[in-house]
Each structure stands twice: as C-alpha cells, then as structure tokens.
Amino acid sequence: MPRLDSPGLFSLTPKILADFAAEGILSVEDFLLAHNPNLDESRTEARKQAVVDILGYIDRQSCGFRTSARMLQEIEARGERYLPTGCESLDKLLEGGLREGTVTELVGGSSSGKTQVCMQVAASVAYRCRAMVGFVDTCHSFSATRLSHMLGGLVGGRDAVQRRVGAADEIGDAMKSIMHYSIFDIFPMLSFLNQLHTTLSVQVQSMEEKVMRLLIVDCASSVISPILGGIPGHALMVSMGIILKKLALENHLAVLITNHTVGGEGGHPKPALGETWKAMPSVRLLLARDFSSNLCHATVMKHTSMACNRHAAFQITRTGLRPVF
C-alpha cells in the first residue's frame, strides 16, 4: 500500500504526518485498519481535511469499485441487459443469457464444447444484437468456417423468403462484426486488454451506434498457466483478472472466458488456475460432454444470483448448438 506521504496528498503536512505516525499510521493500509470517522470529529480542521483527502485518494485508486447502493442506481438507470447465447437451454439456465457488466467462465476438459459455445455466442450476438464482438484466440481454436455454419443456422431459422433472399449478405455482415485476435502470451494479452479498455471508454462516451458488447477469451488458462509458480506469475494472473472485470463493469460489456480443468481430489476434475482465480468470474459453468450421444451438459458452479448445480443440456451440430429440454 502507498505511504501517506505519497505525491498529491498536499494536506498531509509534516505535523499531520507526525500525528499519524504517533498513532502508528504510516501507510494507507494502516489508515484503513485504524481509522474511525468519529475520532476525527474533535480534531483540527487541518486533520479533518487530511482525512478527506486520504479517503478521496483511496476512492481514486479503487479502479472503479462501487458501493452496492451506487451499483443498484446504475443498474436501474440502464436496466439489466442480457446477450443471447444462441442456445435456448443455456439462455434458460442463465435466466436470459450473458449479463452485461459481468465475467462468465466456461470450465471444461479438452473437447468438452467450450470453444463451440464461445463461437455460438459470438455468432448470436453479432447477428441478433447487431453488435461488435471481440474474440481472443489463445490456442488456435477459432474457425471462421465453423462460425459461418453457425451463422447459417441462425439465419436459416427465419421464414423461407428471407432465407432465399439476402441470407449470404446477413451472414457476411455478422462475420465482419466479429473481430479475431490471436494472442499467445500474458504480456501481449495485458497490453491488448489495457488498450481495449481505452478504446471502449472512448466509444461509450461518444455514444457510437455500434460498439463492442461481448469479449471472448478462449482460453484464459492457456496464457496464464505457463507463468504460474511464483509471486510474479501470480501477480500477472490477478492483473489479468482485474482488468477483465474492469472492462466488463465500466464498459457494460459481457466477458466470456474459458478455463481448462485439472485433476482434483479423488480424480475429479476441478478448474485450473486455483482459488485466487475463482474470485474473478461472477458466473462459472462446468461443461461436460458425452461423446457417444454428443450430448453436452452445463452445470452452474458459481452464480451471484442463483443456486448452484442447476443443469442445461444441448447437442453440438453442424449448424450450432441444439437445445435439449
């Protein structure tokens, strides 16, 4: 934590700093642990101003953290918005789809369907919402051909006349709305995410008609796992998680990420990246696939507003995900 004599806190004169030091308060962390607003009521105006400035400094450094009251006001002002996944059973499980402003994580083993779900969601948002989609590919999993087939399945759901006329143009327009990025290392990833945050902030402020509403990272663990094992690697992992949450919250963006599984107790698979990463997504779904029937199951492992262990089923077909009820 910063010291109290950090640049910019001009009200902290040598005398005020000496008073704080006498109370064992040398850093912002010490202040947070020791501060009781009632204790400052009888202090001098200089002391009161110093406390106000420290609290303001903490607020500026809090990276967009909000009180629950402020968050509720913002939600009521803009309304809860959900992006359709393109699969009815998944939308029903998530009570509407991917919620903007949050991070959703898909956890599963190899070939469990994580990438298929990501591409179906990308196709659905680009076509149905007419919005921009960012698709960050970290393991060569993205397929433009597969994406076009899924878009064809969505366009094919309309009436016969519309299917015959203009379908190819609609697919082409949706494909142009999905921006593909290949990133295979944590440092380019952090650089990209920071630059994207700056770009999206400008778009939101300028009220551009077509902005990015969905960011997909497939797969987060591919760039994080190689650098784990020490304090620097852990710090980089936390940095990536924090900026993903900040991107979602401050730009009203739905973020969808994928994560591998590793062996857990009793041989049962568990999400990779450990307990610290568990705090990053607001929603975590576990995907499992039965290859004999090609049936996939999605189970809620974590959700901020619903009970865990709820299930949804779907099949992976040539033209997308087919819900199973």
Side-chain angles (χ1 to χ4, degrees), residues 293-319:
S293 62
N294 203 29
L295 192 65
C296 295
H297 291 273
T299 304
V300 177
M301 298 182 70
K302 175 186 177 183
H303 201 290
T304 55
S305 60
M306 71 172 64
C308 295
N309 297 318
R310 296 178 58 192
H311 301 275
F314 57 90
Q315 283 186 319
I316 298 176
T317 70
R318 183 179 182 277
T319 56

Side-chain angles (χ1 to χ4, degrees), residues 174-187:
M175 291 282 285
K176 293 175 184 177
S177 298
I178 301 173
M179 311 301 293
H180 173 249
Y181 309 91
S182 294
I183 302 176
F184 309 108
D185 184 79
I186 186 66
F187 294 105

Side-chain angles (χ1 to χ4, degrees), residues 68-238:
S68 57
R70 181 179 171 190
M71 291 175 67
L72 182 60
Q73 289 175 346
E74 292 176 353
I75 289 171
E76 291 175 344
R78 68 174 185 267
E80 290 278 7
R81 297 204 301 181
Y82 292 83
L83 301 182
T85 65
C87 178
E88 288 183 54
S89 55
L90 280 178
D91 284 343
K92 184 177 180 180
L93 176 69
L94 296 171
E95 298 182 345
L98 302 183
R99 183 156 58 96
E100 293 184 346
T102 63
V103 177
T104 300
E105 181 182 62
L106 301 176
V107 176
S110 178
S111 301
S112 59
K114 300 187 298 296
T115 297
Q116 301 301 315
V117 172
C118 286
M119 288 201 291
Q120 179 73 71
V121 176
S124 176
V125 172
Y127 174 65
R128 292 178 174 167
C129 302
R130 299 294 192 267
M132 300 295 294
V133 176
F135 197 116
V136 181
D137 177 17
T138 71
C139 46
H140 300 290
S141 59
F142 182 85
S143 169
T145 301
R146 179 71 174 130
L147 189 63
S148 68
H149 289 162
M150 289 179 164
L151 283 165
L154 293 173
V155 174
R158 305 173 70 178
D159 65 73
V161 174
Q162 290 175 310
R163 285 202 303 270
R164 290 195 300 269
V165 179
D169 291 338
E170 292 185 44
I171 292 174
D173 288 342
M175 291 282 285
K176 293 175 184 177
S177 298
I178 301 173
M179 311 301 293
H180 173 249
Y181 309 91
S182 294
I183 302 176
F184 309 108
D185 184 79
I186 186 66
F187 294 105
M189 175 67 78
L190 292 174
S191 177
F192 166 78
L193 294 176
N194 278 293
Q195 181 58 49
L196 180 63
H197 180 57
T198 301
T199 301
L200 292 180
S201 298
V202 172
Q203 288 183 342
V204 170
Q205 292 172 6
S206 62
M207 301 294 290
E208 291 187 21
E209 183 177 348
K210 194 169 187 179
V211 300
M212 185 179 292
R213 293 179 62 188
L214 172 67
L215 174 66
I216 296 171
V217 180
D218 183 33
C219 161
S221 52
S222 292
V223 294
I224 295 174
S225 294
I227 52 98
L228 290 180
I231 294 177
H234 184 270
L236 290 170
M237 177 185 72
V238 172

